[in-house]
Amino acid sequence: MRHTTSAGPRTVDMEDGFRPVAPPAWMRWLPFVYVAFVLLLEATLQKEWAVSFFLIALPAIAAYAFGPVVVAVFTVFSILLEGSLAAISHHLGENHHVTADIATTVVGILSAALAAHRRRQEAHLVHASSVAEALMRALLRPVPHQVGNVLAASLYRPSEAGTMVGGDLFDVRATPAGERAVIGDVRGKGLPAVRTVASLLGSFREAAYEAEDLPAVAARLERGLVREAEEIHDEELFATAVLIEYDSVADRVTVTNHGHVEPVLISCGEVHVLDGPPALPLGLSDLAAADRPAARSHRFARGDVLLLVTDGLVEARDTGGDFYPLVERLRHRFEGRPAPGPADVVNFLNTDLPRHTRDLHDDVAMLAIAPHSRI
C-alpha cells in the first residue's frame, strides 16, 4: 500500500480500503483441470484401476480458492462423478466405492470448514490492515498540492507490502515565519516506531508555528524525543531528520540536517546536493556539546524543486548489491530540461525505483516542494 499526493493534476494513489487478495487464476482453474486429468486417466488406464478415487481430493483442492458453498458443490459433484464412473465399470454397489463416497463426504465437510475459516481470517486481516491504514493516514496526512507559497508532492511506500505502518515521517506547514517542512526516519519499525512518529509529528506541528527559527524547532523536537525515550525506557531512541524553512520574499530556503539524507535541489536544469554542517540525529544531543545546529540558506526561486527523501530510497539495492543512484538518476531525467514540478519528480522516482529493486528492505518516503508562482 502506498499513497501519493501531488501538485497540479492530482496523482493520488489511495485505495478505498483494503480488500482480500483474489487467488491467482491458476488456482481457480486447478479443480477443473484436476477433473479433466482424472477423466483422461479413466479413459486411458485399464478398467482395474479405480481412477475415480482420485476425486476424493477435489474438495480440498477447491478449498484453496473458493468459499464453503462452492466447496460443497464440488463435493456433491465429486460424489456424483465417482458414482457415474463406478456405474460405467459396473462396480457401483461394491464396498470400496461406498467407502470412497463416505471419504469424499468427510473430506468435503472438512474442506468447507477450512474454506470458511480462511474467509474469516481474510476478513480479520482486511480489518487489521484498514485500521493500520487509518492510523498512518491520521499521522502522515496527505500533503496538499499547495501549502502557502509552495507546491508540494509526497509519497510513502512501506517496505512491507499491504501495510501502512512504518517509521518514516514528513509534513509541511504554512506558518507566519514561512513554509516549514520536516522529513525524518525513526529508529525501529512497527508499532513502537509509529508511536515515536506520532510524537515527533505532534511536536513539529506545534513548534512550526511557535518557534522563532529552525534550530528552535529542532530543539523542541529534541526535547519531545527525549521525553518519549524516557517514557518507553529506550536509551537508544533517535530519529534522523531534515528541517527546512522557505522565505518567499527573499527566495531563500534554510536547511538544518540532523544526520539525515542530504536534500537534492533541481535548479536551472542542474541537480546538486545541498550539503552543509551536519548535526547529530534528534535524541542524541547529550552525546555532544549543546550547540544549536547550524542552519544554511540557499537560493530557492521559481522553477526550482527541492527533494527530501529517507534512506530507504538511497539504500535500496539492485540484484548486484548496488545502491539506488538518486542524484545520477535525477540528472539523467531532469538535467538540461525544462523545470519540472514536484509531482514530476515524485512520480519519476515512484516508477524508476521499482526498476532498480524489486524488494524494499526499508520504508521509503519522499517530499518535493517548489516555490509557487506569485502574480
Side-chain angles (χ1 to χ4, degrees):
M1 168 68 65
R2 67 180 186 275
H3 71 270
T4 66
T5 60
S6 68
R10 300 301 296 275
T11 59
V12 179
D13 186 6
M14 283 186 170
E15 298 180 16
D16 298 326
F18 286 82
R19 296 179 178 85
V21 178
W26 69 266
M27 190 174 289
R28 297 193 298 271
W29 282 100
L30 185 59
F32 303 98
V33 174
Y34 187 75
V35 170
F37 173 72
V38 172
L39 294 177
L40 179 62
L41 288 180
E42 177 71 20
T44 56
L45 295 180
Q46 298 178 358
K47 295 297 183 180
E48 58 267 17
W49 287 87
V51 174
S52 62
F53 288 7
F54 284 117
L55 293 171
I56 296 174
L58 183 59
I61 295 174
Y64 280 93
F66 298 100
V69 175
V70 177
V71 171
V73 171
F74 273 107
T75 301
V76 174
F77 173 77
S78 298
I79 295 174
L80 295 177
L81 185 56
E82 288 173 4
S84 299
L85 295 178
I88 293 175
S89 59
H90 306 289
H91 297 295
L92 181 59
E94 295 182 1
N95 292 338
H96 56 282
H97 282 285
V98 175
T99 302
D101 291 340
I102 296 174
T104 304
T105 302
V106 172
V107 171
I109 293 172
L110 295 177
S111 299
L114 176 63
H117 177 70
R118 178 175 57 80
R119 287 289 175 87
R120 288 192 297 270
Q121 290 294 101
E122 288 177 350
H124 175 73
L125 291 175
V126 167
H127 176 72
S129 297
S130 298
V131 170
E133 179 188 28
L135 171 64
M136 286 306 294
R137 286 188 181 184
L139 294 178
L140 293 182
R141 301 167 190 170
V143 174
H145 76 279
Q146 181 177 345
V147 182
N149 294 310
V150 298
L151 302 177
S154 64
L155 179 140
Y156 176 74
R157 182 192 289 270
S159 59
E160 185 177 353
T163 181
M164 292 288 291
V165 177
D168 290 357
L169 60 101
F170 54 78
D171 199 10
V172 183
R173 296 282 152 166
T175 75
E179 287 66 40
R180 289 174 170 173
V182 64
I183 190 168
D185 187 359
V186 171
R187 172 185 170 272
K189 294 182 180 294
L191 292 180
V194 172
R195 170 174 172 164
T196 306
V197 166
S199 176
L200 278 176
L201 285 175
S203 297
F204 172 77
R205 287 163 182 165
E206 180 180 354
Y209 294 95
E210 299 177 356
E212 60 181 5
D213 55 19
L214 282 188
V217 175
R220 293 276 290 271
L221 298 183
E222 174 77 23
R223 291 194 295 269
L225 197 57
V226 170
R227 289 194 299 267
E228 178 72 12
E230 293 174 351
E231 290 181 6
I232 65 177
H233 306 289
D234 186 355
E235 298 179 354
E236 298 180 353
L237 182 64
F238 68 89
T240 65
V242 168
L243 295 167
I244 67 168
E245 178 183 286
Y246 171 58
D247 185 342
S248 60
V249 176
D251 286 335
R252 306 289 293 180
V253 63
T254 304
V255 180
T256 62
N257 191 334
H258 299 265
H260 199 72
V261 181
E262 293 86 355
V264 179
L265 179 65
I266 304 174
S267 177
C268 301
E270 297 183 355
V271 178
H272 53 91
V273 176
L274 295 186
D275 53 0
L280 287 173
L282 300 174
L284 300 180
S285 61
D286 58 342
L287 299 181
D291 295 334
R292 286 160 61 91
R296 176 169 293 184
S297 295
H298 307 268
R299 177 172 172 76
F300 191 52
R302 179 181 177 180
D304 295 347
V305 175
L306 183 64
L307 174 67
L308 311 173
V309 302
T310 55
D311 58 7
L313 175 68
V314 296
E315 293 179 358
R317 296 176 182 267
D318 60 12
T319 55
D322 295 326
F323 292 122
Y324 181 73
L326 174 62
V327 176
E328 288 79 0
R329 295 301 300 155
L330 291 174
R331 285 173 176 165
H332 175 75
R333 175 63 180 84
F334 297 110
E335 204 163 54
R337 299 185 182 185
D344 299 324
V345 177
V346 169
N347 290 337
F348 165 70
L349 294 175
N350 190 32
T351 56
D352 192 58
L353 180 61
R355 299 191 186 107
H356 179 82
T357 179
R358 292 183 177 272
D359 299 319
L360 292 175
H361 299 287
D362 196 2
D363 301 336
V364 172
M366 311 176 201
L367 176 62
I369 65 171
H372 181 52
S373 301
R374 298 189 301 274
I375 300 176

